[in-house]
Amino acid sequence: FGSRHFGSDCLEPRWGRFLSLPSPCTRQLVPAEMAGDSDKQVTPEVIAQHQKELDSCLADVEAASKKAKEAAAQALETAEKCRHIEEETKKMIEQFNTGGNK
């Protein structure tokens, strides 16, 4: 995820759009900010909570990815049907223009 804030979007922008995911993916935890709080300690409980949030976020990403793949497959199928209809239409127009429909 590059230099982006950990957990800020869970998905990088693709094609000029962001996919919005529910919390905890929208939490902004920056390691430098966490280190600045001297009263916060990294404990097994904190790690477990972060792991739980990460797992939830990754599950959301996986579900969104699956939906995107299904949508892409459907779009390809629709495009193929459109190409077939276009070819059939061109053939009919050609037959009509050459008097082949008599």
Side-chain angles (χ1 to χ4, degrees), residues 7-75:
S8 64
D9 292 309
C10 286
L11 290 179
E12 291 197 14
R14 302 269 188 232
W15 309 288
R17 296 184 183 164
F18 285 91
L19 294 177
S20 297
L21 296 175
S23 291
C25 294
T26 55
R27 284 191 63 195
Q28 293 188 8
L29 297 176
V30 181
E33 291 174 1
M34 289 176 20
D37 286 335
S38 60
D39 59 323
K40 291 193 177 186
Q41 298 274 330
V42 176
T43 64
E45 293 80 16
V46 170
I47 293 171
Q49 180 61 34
H50 283 266
Q51 184 65 49
K52 181 180 174 183
E53 291 174 4
L54 176 61
D55 291 344
S56 175
C57 183
L58 291 175
D60 290 344
V61 169
E62 188 66 32
S65 173
K66 182 178 178 182
K67 288 179 184 178
K69 287 177 185 176
E70 291 169 356
Q74 185 177 3

